Amino acid sequence: MIASRAKVGIVAGAMILFGLALTAYKVVRLDLPLWPGESREVWTIESKISFKPSDGPVDVELKLPTGLGGWVTLEEHFASSGFGFSVVEEGGGKVARWSRQSLEHPTTLYYKQQAYRARRDSLPDFPVREAEPPLLEADQQAAMERLVMDLRDRSSGPATFAALLVQELARPEPSQDAEFLLGTYRETPLRVMLDVLAYAGIPAHSVRGIQLQDGRRRQTLSALLEIHDGNAWQLLDPATAGSGLPDNFFVWQRGDGAALRVMGGRDSRLEFALVRNSLSAKTVVSMEQRSDDFALLDFSIYALPVEQQGIFKGILLLPVAAFVVVVMRILVGIKTSGTFMPILIALAFLQTTLWVGLAIFLTLVSVGLWIRSWLSHLNLLLVARVSAVVIVVILLMAVLALISYKLGLDQALTVTFFPTIILAWTIERMSILWEEEGGREVMVQGGGSLLVAVMAYLVMSMRVVEHLTFNFPELLVSLLGVILLIGKYTGYRLSELYRFRDMANMK
């Protein structure tokens, strides 16, 4: 027994020291902040170009962002295995080019950059080109002319004309002319807007970019509408007619032309993965000064593709939740319905927010227990019964999401973040526990599970915890060492000390 404790102590101590040593290296050597202080939001944006080969040589061109709107690029990385690669200046911007003589299988190319917004600048001046009227069929031209005349009668200038146009095309029931144009174009409403503005003689073009959302994967380019009102360029949201450059919009391309061109390939697609991280202002300045040889990627999650970074940002919080479960069960003595259920429920709370998540969980479990009690009278075998509960839980989640959507309760739509199988198994276990031990034991274990899940959520949602787990994942090795030490604890739990407090008073 003593030898076993000593062995665990040595292993745990080595793990703790290893994690702390790597953390100290990154703090001292790489200048990463140990505590989130004055920081900058640094976005890692990874563009993924996927396509299938066709006959002949392959040439791929990707227009690169130029730092519009106050954005500053810290680092850039290109993946071009087996391709010739170059970055050239073209039309006032940069273009990345990949080339290859032949290709036999589907391929994916990557471009990754880290950038932050140093200031909230408006877009700089842009050449004004005379609008060229679109080529239209006779019926399209007649509808276009009537729509333009109507909008001119109701507007006072190019800016109000464009805003009214956006509102008209975005209405659930647009006018006959607007509906006809939308139907005959068979393209996005933005293309119709650009042609209507060109027909009206108003210079306009699209501004394409990325809606910044942490952890988003497989995102495509969005577009804003930019028109010239005679004095300056103005930005409009083509869906809401809102003006100005949104704070969460990263400008990728301004003006006409395709962002991606693939020659010698087919079924091409440009997708983006996004991850947001907070770095100290000092680190950001250091990265700007040493962008070529900065060793930020050493021993770091940053070395992974951005899509995996977003996934690991949540996964790295799970050991923290596991640590909370270990402390609450071994040291405090709280009973829970299994080990994994509180962890996964806490992870779901991070997506739904605490109060909404609690309401969804209690609703699903309560209704599920009621339906499960009815299933128990059918005398089904275990496999069939659990499968039936899984289907019932999925149907309940779908009904709850649909009702929430109809009532305008968007937060409840996050019900999909709850782990379906864990919910079904929780309902099954609680139902069996109710039959064997009674309702009191169900309340004890169910309440304990919710209490631990809430505490795990509160710890996981702390900014310092998110910062440490993502920037210093080696600390999880130290956390593992602490869990090993707690795992050898065989003394009284805090709840037992409270339970036997009268015996202590008797002495």
Side-chain angles (χ1 to χ4, degrees), residues 38-229:
E38 182 186 357
S39 60
R40 301 285 185 270
E41 280 192 352
V42 177
W43 286 87
T44 303
I45 304 172
E46 182 181 75
S47 57
K48 182 171 67 173
I49 306 166
S50 56
F51 61 93
K52 298 177 181 178
S54 57
D55 296 334
V58 178
D59 289 290
V60 179
E61 293 185 357
L62 175 66
K63 290 186 177 180
L64 303 180
T66 55
L68 298 176
W71 286 88
V72 176
T73 300
L74 299 175
E75 290 186 334
E76 290 181 305
H77 299 278
F78 300 87
S80 54
S81 177
F83 281 77
F85 175 75
S86 62
V87 177
V88 297
E89 296 286 340
E90 184 178 289
K94 295 191 300 181
V95 177
R97 289 179 176 171
W98 292 267
S99 60
R100 184 165 174 166
Q101 186 62 34
S102 62
L103 193 64
E104 298 179 354
H105 50 79
T107 299
T108 301
L109 303 174
Y110 292 92
Y111 163 66
K112 182 170 68 174
Q113 70 164 308
Q114 287 184 295
Y116 80 103
R117 198 168 190 178
R119 51 197 175 276
R120 306 281 177 181
D121 288 350
S122 57
L123 298 185
D125 197 14
F126 194 76
V128 180
R129 298 176 182 175
E130 185 177 350
E132 297 182 4
L135 298 176
L136 303 170
E137 300 290 340
D139 52 353
Q140 290 179 322
Q141 186 167 350
M144 183 84 71
E145 187 173 350
R146 288 192 298 267
L147 179 60
V148 169
M149 289 180 60
D150 176 62
L151 293 174
R152 276 178 175 163
D153 291 339
R154 293 189 287 131
S155 63
S156 59
T160 53
F161 181 97
L164 289 172
L165 172 62
V166 171
Q167 294 172 2
E168 180 66 35
L169 296 182
R171 284 169 51 189
E173 297 182 359
S175 64
Q176 289 184 352
D177 293 323
E179 187 174 9
F180 173 76
L181 290 174
L182 288 171
T184 58
Y185 265 65
R186 296 180 182 178
E187 293 187 47
T188 62
L190 180 62
R191 184 67 262 169
V192 180
M193 295 175 194
L194 291 172
D195 279 359
V196 172
L197 291 168
Y199 192 87
I202 300 175
H205 55 250
S206 63
V207 175
R208 309 182 73 186
I210 306 168
Q211 297 284 350
L212 297 176
Q213 184 179 350
D214 188 24
R216 186 75 180 271
R217 294 176 287 163
R218 298 180 180 178
Q219 182 172 342
T220 56
L221 286 173
S222 303
L224 299 175
L225 178 65
E226 190 171 31
I227 64 106
H228 197 273
D229 63 1

Side-chain angles (χ1 to χ4, degrees), residues 307-318:
E307 189 170 343
Q308 278 66 43
Q309 288 185 37
I311 295 173
F312 270 97
K313 198 168 188 179
I315 291 178
L316 290 173
L317 291 172
L318 293 180

Side-chain angles (χ1 to χ4, degrees), residues 69 77 111 129 231 266 286 302 328 357 362 380 450:
H77 299 278
Y111 163 66
R129 298 176 182 175
N231 297 314
R266 55 187 174 85
S286 177
Y302 293 102
M328 296 301 293
L362 292 174
L380 300 176
L450 272 185

Side-chain angles (χ1 to χ4, degrees), residues 485-496:
L485 292 177
I486 296 177
K488 298 298 291 184
Y489 178 75
T490 56
Y492 285 106
R493 298 175 174 87
L494 292 179
S495 59
E496 292 173 335

Side-chain angles (χ1 to χ4, degrees), residues 8 17 21 100 150 225 256 319 329 359 391 403 429 434 453:
V8 170
L17 291 177
R100 184 165 174 166
D150 176 62
L225 178 65
D256 298 326
R329 291 194 59 168
I391 295 174
I403 294 175
R429 289 189 59 178
W434 193 300

